[in-house]
């Protein structure tokens, strides 16, 4: 993974029907009709959180009973995935399928994506079956449920941001002598073997962001500590599974390297708005999700913005953001997609979980299209007619 560099406000005057819909969406506890149709069509067995938890054992890649497949775009995978997962995005299946080249065809595979309204997992599961894999299941609740109940695994690019901004409590779970030899700058030493003795070193505030690492993808020490912290009700625990080996492979400074980590950085002023006036998000290509969400819910989306829902037509007809148009981007190449976009508008792609919106934006960027007024909304969105619940995903930066 290191080689591939994370409430609808119901006003008192709203209609009773809309209020009921809001509650129903918030308590979504089963696949949507669209997802369920695919699960049934492809004859896929569904599994739950406890099944997945048991399947990955401690969490390191060497100890799993089943191989987990994250079907979301790579950027989503990097920002936070279920421990031990491999990444095979549905739109780049053939390109990423090679990660399974050493996996036996009868090995259990569990595919997941962005939750109960995400279609990517059944799509990838079916493609795996077509390749000849005989034991493929889907975890429909996916990353959102897992994130609420356990901890996630992050990529080098993410911990690098945390380290540079001093925005996380970084823990080296290896033996203390190894820590003294070399570690990630800013990390503190809490070996898993001394956890009970040193647990008091963890923040009192249990909402503090904590990142734990050790000796790489086959090392279980970071997972041992992460599981313990989750049991102690810490809310924002992640594991940097690539660990010190991945950090060094990325060419980043360690406490033992000669490369200075105190080099003066060139300050680049980041623009806050696009030329047309759209408020930019922290991540490259993103709109400020809370800014746009407020505009949508107040029915005040600026006229220069055209929201483009990139989901399939049958998903779109069930509900969409007011004023949005539907273009199923996954069916089009970059040129075809660009030709269908309204001219002289600021484009914002959206979907149900943010994944397909990011893919549409990336498709145009990879084709060297002028992206100055093309963006994506990274959010979980469920709509009934034009009544939408929008939960903005946390940006990386």
């Amino acid at each position: 993974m290191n080689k591939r560099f994370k409430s609808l406000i119901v006003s008192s005057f709203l209609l009773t029907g809309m209020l009921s819909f809001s509650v129903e969406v918030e308590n979504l506890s089963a696949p949507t009709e669209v997802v369920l149709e695919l699960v049934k069509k492809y004859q896929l067995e569904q599994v739950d959180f406890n099944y997945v938890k048991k399947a990955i054992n401690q969490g390191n890649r060497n100890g799993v009973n089943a191989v987990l497949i994250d079907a979301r775009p790579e950027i989503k995978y990097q920002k936070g995935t279920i421990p031990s997962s491999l990444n095979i995005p549905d739109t780049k299946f053939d390109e990423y399928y090679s990660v399974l080249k050493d996996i036996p065809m009868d090995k259990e595979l569990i595919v997941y994506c962005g939750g109960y309204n995400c279609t990517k997992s059944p799509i990838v599961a079916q493609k795996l079956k077509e390749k000849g894999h005989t034991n493929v299941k889907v975890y429909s609740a996916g990353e959102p449920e897992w994130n609420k109940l356990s901890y996630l695994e992050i990529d080098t690019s993410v911990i690098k941001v945390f380290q540079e901004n001093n925005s996380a409590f970084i823990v080296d779970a290896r033996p203390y002598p190894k820590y003294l030899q070399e570690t990630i700058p800013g990390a503190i030493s809490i070996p898993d073997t001394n956890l009970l003795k040193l647990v008091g070193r963890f923040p009192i505030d249990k909402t503090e962001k904590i990142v734990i690492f050790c000796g790489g993808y086959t090392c279980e020490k970071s997972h041992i500590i992460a599981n313990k912290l989750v049991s102690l009700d810490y809310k924002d625990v992640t594991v940097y599974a690539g660990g010190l080996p991945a950090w060094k492979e990325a060419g980043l400074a360690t406490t033992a390297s000669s490369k200075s980590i105190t080099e003066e950085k060139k300050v680049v002023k980041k623009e806050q708005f696009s030329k047309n006036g759209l408020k930019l998000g922290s991540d490259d290509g993103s709109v400020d999700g809370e800014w746009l969400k407020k505009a949508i819910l107040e029915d005040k989306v600026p006229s220069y913005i055209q929201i483009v829902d990139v989901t399939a037509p049958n998903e779109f007809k069930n509900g969409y953001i007011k004023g949005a148009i539907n273009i199923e981007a996954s069916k089009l190449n970059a040129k075809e997609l660009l030709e269908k976009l309204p001219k002289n508008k600021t484009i914002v792609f959206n979907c149900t979980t943010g994944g397909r919106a990011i893919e549409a934006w990336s498709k145009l960027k990879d084709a060297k299209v002028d992206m100055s007024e093309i963006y994506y909304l990274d959010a979980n969105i469920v709509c009934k007619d034009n009544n939408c619940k929008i939960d903005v995903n946390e940006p990386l930066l």
Side-chain angles (χ1 to χ4, degrees), residues 253-382:
T254 70
T255 54
S257 70
S258 58
K259 182 177 178 181
S260 172
I261 64 167
T262 59
E263 293 178 357
E264 185 176 346
K265 298 176 183 178
K266 183 178 180 181
V267 178
V268 179
K269 184 178 180 181
K270 185 176 177 63
E271 297 294 335
Q272 290 186 308
F273 296 89
S274 75
K275 183 178 179 180
N276 287 348
L278 174 140
K279 189 172 183 182
L280 303 178
S282 299
D283 295 339
D284 187 27
S286 67
V287 61
D288 185 301
E290 296 296 341
W291 175 83
L292 185 58
K293 172 183 174 180
K294 185 174 186 292
I296 292 169
L297 297 182
E298 295 179 355
D299 198 17
K300 294 180 180 179
V301 176
S303 59
Y304 62 83
I305 291 178
Q306 178 59 65
I307 298 175
V308 178
D309 188 317
V310 298
T311 62
N314 62 329
E315 295 178 80
F316 182 75
K317 72 179 182 180
N318 289 331
Y320 54 89
I321 295 171
K322 184 177 179 181
I325 62 173
N326 182 218
I327 301 175
E328 189 177 6
S330 63
K331 301 292 186 182
L332 306 171
N333 61 37
K335 182 180 179 182
E336 293 168 335
L337 176 57
L338 185 62
E339 288 175 348
K340 287 182 175 291
L341 296 178
K343 304 301 184 284
N344 302 316
K345 289 279 190 176
T346 297
I347 304 298
V348 178
F349 293 124
N350 85 277
C351 62
T352 53
T353 63
R356 285 175 284 181
I358 292 173
E359 288 170 343
W361 179 85
S362 298
K363 182 181 294 185
L364 294 179
K365 184 182 180 185
D366 291 345
K368 310 300 181 184
V369 169
D370 178 4
M371 305 298 289
S372 57
E373 292 298 330
I374 303 177
Y375 301 92
Y376 65 85
L377 172 60
D378 187 5
N380 289 288
I381 304 172
V382 181

Side-chain angles (χ1 to χ4, degrees), residues 136-152:
V136 185
K137 300 179 175 67
V138 291
Y139 172 37
S140 295
E143 183 273 339
E145 179 183 74
W146 185 274
N147 191 20
K148 290 179 181 178
L149 300 177
S150 190
Y151 66 94
L152 296 176

Side-chain angles (χ1 to χ4, degrees), residues 28-220:
L28 194 65
S29 58
T32 60
E33 183 178 343
V34 174
V35 174
L36 195 57
E37 286 178 0
L38 291 175
V39 170
K40 291 180 177 178
K41 177 182 178 181
Y42 300 143
Q43 300 180 339
L44 298 168
E45 179 182 346
Q46 299 191 75
V47 298
D48 60 14
F49 172 83
N50 290 327
Y51 187 97
V52 177
K53 182 72 174 175
K54 185 177 180 180
I56 68 171
N57 284 323
Q58 196 64 58
N60 62 309
R61 292 188 183 180
N62 270 12
V64 297
N65 295 327
V67 176
L68 268 65
I69 307 295
D70 188 335
R72 301 174 302 155
E74 184 180 23
I75 187 173
K76 290 277 193 178
Y77 172 73
Q78 291 173 335
K79 289 167 69 172
T81 191
I82 298 176
S84 78
S85 296
L86 304 177
N87 187 211
I88 306 180
D90 64 319
T91 56
K92 297 184 177 181
F93 180 86
D94 292 333
E95 179 182 343
Y96 283 67
Y97 176 70
S98 61
V99 299
L100 296 180
K101 59 182 174 61
D102 297 323
I103 303 297
M105 286 296 180
D106 61 351
K107 181 72 174 180
E108 183 178 17
L109 307 179
I110 302 175
V111 190
Y112 67 93
C113 57
Y116 285 124
N117 59 346
C118 177
T119 59
K120 294 177 177 294
S121 51
I123 290 172
V124 168
Q126 175 60 13
K127 290 183 177 182
L128 290 169
K129 290 176 68 176
E130 291 172 355
K131 286 285 189 180
H133 293 275
T134 59
N135 190 4
V136 185
K137 300 179 175 67
V138 291
Y139 172 37
S140 295
E143 183 273 339
E145 179 183 74
W146 185 274
N147 191 20
K148 290 179 181 178
L149 300 177
S150 190
Y151 66 94
L152 296 176
E153 178 180 308
I154 60 172
D155 179 62
T156 302
S157 58
V158 180
I159 188 175
K160 180 174 180 289
V161 171
F162 295 158
Q163 190 252 10
E164 289 176 344
N165 296 335
N166 192 26
S167 57
F169 187 80
I170 301 176
V171 176
D172 187 337
R174 300 173 305 148
Y176 188 58
K178 299 292 291 183
Y179 169 84
L180 290 178
Q181 288 175 359
E182 185 176 28
T183 192
I184 295 174
I188 71 164
S189 175
I190 303 182
D192 67 307
T193 52
N194 290 342
L195 180 57
L196 295 180
K197 178 181 177 181
L198 302 177
V199 71
R201 294 186 180 181
F202 286 99
I204 295 176
D205 180 0
K206 293 193 173 182
T207 64
E208 187 79 22
K209 187 183 298 296
I210 300 173
V211 181
I212 311 141
F213 72 92
C214 57
Y217 290 110
T218 61
C219 176
E220 67 177 16

